[in-house]
Amino acid sequence: MNRPLHVVILAAGQGKRMRSPLPKVLQPVAQQPLLAHVIATARSLEPAAVHVVYGHGGDEVQAAFSAQPDLRWALQAEQLGTGHAVQMALPEIPDEAMVLVLLGDAPLMRSESLKRVLEDAGEGLGVLSARVADPTGYGRMVRDADGALASIVEHKDASPSQHAINEVNSGVIAAPAGALKRWLGQVGQDNSQGEIYLTDCVAIARAEGASVAATVAEQAEEILGANDRWQLAELERHYQRRAAMALCEQGATVLDPSRVDVRGEVTVGEGVVIDVNTIFEGTVVLGAGARIGAGCVIKDSTLGPGTRVAPYSVLEGMECEGDSDIGPFARLRPGTYLARDCKVGNFVETKKARFGEGSKASHLSYLGDAQIGSEVNIGAGTITCNYDGVNKHQTVIEDGVFVGSDTQLVAPVKVGKGATLGAGTTLTKDAPADQLTITRVRQQVIDGWQKPVKKR
Ligand code: UD1
Ligand code: CA
């Protein structure tokens, strides 16, 4: 039977031990709420619907996902246990559906593992487990003499011999909705926590003669959740290690996988080299052979093939065609566009600035709201005065212009093709093409001038 898949994500818990006003499932890993990672994994299975059981911080949790209006929300006003939480969503789910329960605070779960759980479950119940070094706190997978899963016993309810079992429940369970409704209806609260345990469905299904399958996760870390800030920090490290691995798989050389952070999506071409302590945010594309120096922060940017970013550069919302040099210590802000063979060097800040091919600003400049042609040389200390205190204005610098050092371009202003601006110029009117324009007090030498002498 081909059943429509309904994913139910449990996210009603408070997370007291986080010591934070933010609801637990909104705590971030890689700058995204824990729950966002779980929802993304759920969506990768292309389910008919994703249901989120919420409770603590409900409005805040729903507001964080307002951009995903197809999510179905089920309120669990009182947290009476994982079984009770699933019951809150079940009335919305047709009996013929296949239900997959995920935990909202376990962001490392891989879709490959979930697909295996669904396959192994077939028409019965499926559970994902993991073998861990320290099973403390987890529900234990109790297998019978044949090795089949007989029941799951919570840590607090387990006997000393059961405590020794190191195969633990991930919290992920799959079952046909109709059967799950029936089994949950039989679950009691007679346990050490007085809760309605979802895990009790295992023994109930077995007693009914239904098939019960336990699938072991390939990576034990997949089941990790976060109850406190230290565990959250550990999740972040696991996540970042995977992200570094994905960069390597795409063809990047990552000089130290423990010193690169990916807080978004990074696509890299072959032969990319990433030095230590770089942070990527949002959507970043690095073309083949691009090299990123140490300590860079790169957000929502596309760097074409062969772009070299020297250390400690901060890039956001910019694009570069390739074969260009950026940094060290460059700050490229949104709307920066570099054609090929450009250079934006030490302590240069750009914003809404377009550079034509072969143009260079090598040192100490601010270039904002600027159209710069090709083969332009911007001298050290050049500043576009783009803001009059109220409005922003454009500076246009045409092809082949040479801008001398320490020049101020008071916008709106235009420098014609092939012009030269003398060092120290404050340009307030357009400069004509192919000529030298200069504003500078003439240099003079004072005849007979004498150095003052110290009075006795
Ligand atoms: C649960 C499992 C345990 C498993 C472990 C994996 C049960 C009874 N136990 O234990 O076998 O090893 O997860 O981490 O299922 N939640 C609600 N409403 C509730 C209770 C919980 O939404 O009433 C949510 C929590 O927000 C959390 C998840 O369900 O995201 C798991 O709840 P938690 O209390 O952490 O379960 P554990 O005791 O850790
Ligand atoms: Ca837990």
Side-chain angles (χ1 to χ4, degrees):
M1 186 173 170
N2 206 0
R3 299 173 178 275
L5 176 66
H6 283 241
V7 178
V8 176
I9 303 175
L10 307 189
Q14 184 177 10
K16 258 192 194 149
R17 281 179 284 164
M18 285 286 172
R19 295 172 177 270
S20 164
L22 203 60
K24 176 157 132 178
V25 289
L26 294 187
Q27 299 290 342
V29 160
Q31 247 171 26
Q32 290 288 319
L34 292 170
L35 182 54
H37 293 282
V38 181
I39 291 173
T41 308
R43 287 194 190 283
S44 73
L45 303 171
E46 298 180 348
V50 177
H51 306 257
V52 183
V53 181
Y54 72 104
H56 276 283
D59 295 347
E60 218 179 322
V61 175
Q62 279 178 301
F65 295 92
S66 58
Q68 302 186 36
D70 62 330
L71 291 174
R72 314 229 324 235
W73 297 90
L75 175 66
Q76 187 194 25
E78 243 189 309
Q79 278 72 63
L80 303 178
T82 49
H84 180 255
V86 172
Q87 278 177 320
M88 299 299 104
L90 283 177
E92 292 284 303
I93 300 176
D95 285 357
E96 67 274 16
M98 192 68 185
V99 174
L100 177 69
V101 178
L102 306 180
L103 304 188
D105 62 350
L108 302 176
M109 191 57 65
R110 296 180 316 139
S111 51
E112 291 90 326
S113 301
L114 299 176
K115 283 177 191 157
R116 281 173 52 225
V117 171
L118 289 167
E119 259 171 46
D120 294 351
E123 286 293 296
L125 186 146
V127 183
L128 184 71
S129 71
R131 294 195 186 281
V132 296
D134 179 12
T136 308
Y138 288 101
R140 303 300 204 280
M141 306 288 279
V142 180
R143 291 179 182 263
D144 61 21
D146 305 330
L149 181 63
S151 66
I152 298 176
V153 180
E154 290 308 300
H155 180 91
K156 287 178 180 158
D157 304 300
S159 66
S161 65
Q162 287 169 336
H163 276 154
I165 299 172
N166 72 349
E167 187 191 359
V168 301
N169 173 29
S170 68
V172 171
I173 283 188
L180 192 56
K181 289 174 189 178
R182 192 170 65 245
W183 297 332
L184 276 172
Q186 297 173 45
V187 173
Q189 281 172 272
D190 184 16
N191 52 59
S192 64
Q193 303 184 80
E195 288 185 2
I196 300 171
Y197 288 165
L198 176 62
T199 44
D200 282 358
C201 288
V202 171
I204 293 168
R206 277 290 300 259
E208 215 185 62
S211 92
V212 172
T215 305
V216 185
E218 268 173 30
Q219 304 174 5
E221 71 193 41
E222 287 184 68
I223 73 162
L224 293 178
N227 295 314
D228 56 34
R229 301 210 154 260
W230 180 250
Q231 288 176 350
L232 193 65
E234 287 186 318
L235 282 184
E236 180 79 31
R237 286 302 102 208
H238 280 291
Y239 180 94
Q240 293 302 344
R241 198 180 154 74
R242 276 189 188 175
M245 214 180 275
L247 290 174
C248 292
E249 277 164 10
Q250 290 182 64
T253 299
V254 177
L255 286 165
D256 183 349
S258 70
R259 284 187 289 169
V260 59
D261 279 42
V262 177
R263 301 167 187 170
E265 292 284 333
V266 181
T267 311
V268 302
E270 285 180 12
V272 163
V273 179
I274 300 167
D275 210 333
V276 301
N277 292 335
T278 285
I279 299 175
F280 296 105
E281 294 181 10
T283 305
V284 173
V285 179
L286 305 179
R291 302 180 77 91
I292 310 301
C296 291
V297 179
I298 303 180
K299 180 175 182 180
D300 293 324
S301 293
T302 297
L303 302 178
T307 303
R308 294 166 293 270
V309 184
Y312 304 106
S313 296
V314 178
L315 278 46
E316 180 180 354
M318 56 78 61
E319 195 178 335
C320 170
E321 286 179 20
D323 287 324
S324 289
D325 286 286
I326 296 170
F329 298 101
R331 174 145 190 244
L332 275 54
R333 293 169 50 204
T336 297
Y337 184 92
L338 309 182
R340 304 185 77 78
D341 198 24
C342 288
K343 179 168 184 191
V344 178
N346 316 264
F347 306 102
V348 174
E349 176 180 348
T350 63
K351 184 216 73 172
K352 287 188 188 159
R354 290 185 74 89
F355 279 61
E357 204 169 312
S359 289
K360 296 180 170 48
S362 298
H363 336 262
L364 298 164
S365 286
Y366 172 65
L367 302 164
D369 302 299
Q371 290 275 354
I372 298 165
S374 58
E375 302 298 333
V376 169
N377 196 315
I378 306 277
T382 296
I383 289 170
T384 53
C385 310
N386 58 332
Y387 186 50
D388 59 16
V390 183
N391 294 304
K392 300 279 172 71
H393 302 281
Q394 287 284 322
T395 297
V396 177
I397 301 173
E398 292 187 341
D399 295 350
V401 165
F402 181 92
V403 178
S405 297
D406 192 27
T407 292
Q408 299 100 54
L409 300 137
V410 182
V413 75
K414 181 173 142 186
V415 184
K417 199 170 171 180
T420 293
L421 301 183
T425 292
T426 300
L427 196 72
T428 52
K429 289 178 276 194
D430 291 356
D434 297 319
Q435 296 190 49
L436 171 66
T437 299
I438 184 164
T439 66
R440 193 189 290 168
V441 176
R442 275 190 194 280
Q443 183 167 325
Q444 46 181 322
V445 178
I446 309 298
D447 258 354
W449 176 82
Q450 286 190 340
K451 247 185 190 166
V453 282
K454 184 122 184 151
K455 283 183 185 153
R456 292 236 157 173

